[in-house]
Amino acid sequence: MVKKVHFTVLAHDFKLNLAMQQWLNGYRIVPHIIIDRHNIVSARNSAVEQFLAGTGTHLVLLDNGVWPNHTTAPLLDADGEVVYMGHIATGGHPAHLGDGNLGCAAVRFSRQALEAIKPPWFECEYNATGSKVLKCDCSVLRDKLHAAGLGTHMV
């Protein structure tokens, strides 16, 4: 099956980082850009909502903070309903590494995977007062996908 991939970059403004521009241009990709002025979680949900309203088979979400290079290419054609790239988080710590985990800074979803779970697709879990994130939106989505019988694969 030929994939009809929808690319969305989540950014704070319309200025994509240089590595992102070069990587997208190298594959002749013109992404849809969602401006994330307030909340990355709502921006990600907006991207999924817009994708599902269309006819694409796969959605690639890239945070503008990702600096893609030649090692990012497997994200485009690796097998799996949900594939993602592990990354280094702010502060230099590895984040969301390994199969069965999920990091959404650079991720590809099949339409079937996103349709298998109820919105909101992305949401955080907080403590009782809402003052501390107990589980990030990537981890909550991972749990929803696993509950629906879908695996996640790091490339």
Side-chain angles (χ1 to χ4, degrees):
M1 174 181 85
V2 174
K3 294 175 186 161
K4 185 177 176 186
V5 181
H6 180 95
F7 286 85
T8 297
V9 176
L10 304 170
H12 294 287
D13 54 36
F14 280 107
K15 298 175 187 167
L16 298 182
N17 72 59
L18 182 59
M20 180 74 72
Q21 290 174 31
Q22 291 172 339
W23 188 79
L24 292 167
N25 289 340
Y27 287 99
R28 293 184 171 84
I29 297 168
V30 178
H32 175 70
I33 299 173
I34 292 181
I35 303 303
D36 155 31
R37 294 208 188 274
H38 303 289
N39 188 316
I40 188 69
V41 176
S42 63
R44 287 176 173 158
N45 282 318
S46 179
V48 173
E49 185 176 52
Q50 290 175 34
F51 165 74
L52 290 176
T55 60
T57 61
H58 292 79
L59 171 64
V60 173
L61 288 179
L62 299 168
D63 289 359
N64 193 38
V66 170
W67 287 71
N69 59 37
H70 66 282
T71 64
T72 315
L75 184 65
L76 303 178
D77 56 13
D79 291 334
E81 296 295 316
V82 181
V83 296
Y84 76 99
M85 301 207 59
H87 63 279
I88 304 301
T90 304
H93 304 289
H96 303 295
L97 299 179
D99 282 352
N101 208 327
L102 180 63
C104 293
V107 61
R108 189 193 76 222
F109 299 100
S110 70
R111 174 175 289 277
Q112 292 80 7
L114 293 170
E115 289 175 338
I117 55 176
K118 289 181 176 180
W121 302 274
F122 295 92
E123 59 186 324
C124 296
E125 280 185 18
Y126 297 93
N127 66 358
T129 63
S131 61
K132 182 178 179 189
V133 174
L134 300 176
K135 197 181 281 188
C136 71
D137 59 313
C138 302
S139 296
V140 172
L141 178 58
R142 176 203 61 216
D143 293 349
K144 290 179 180 184
L145 290 163
H146 289 180
L150 295 162
T152 53
H153 176 67
M154 187 178 92
V155 294

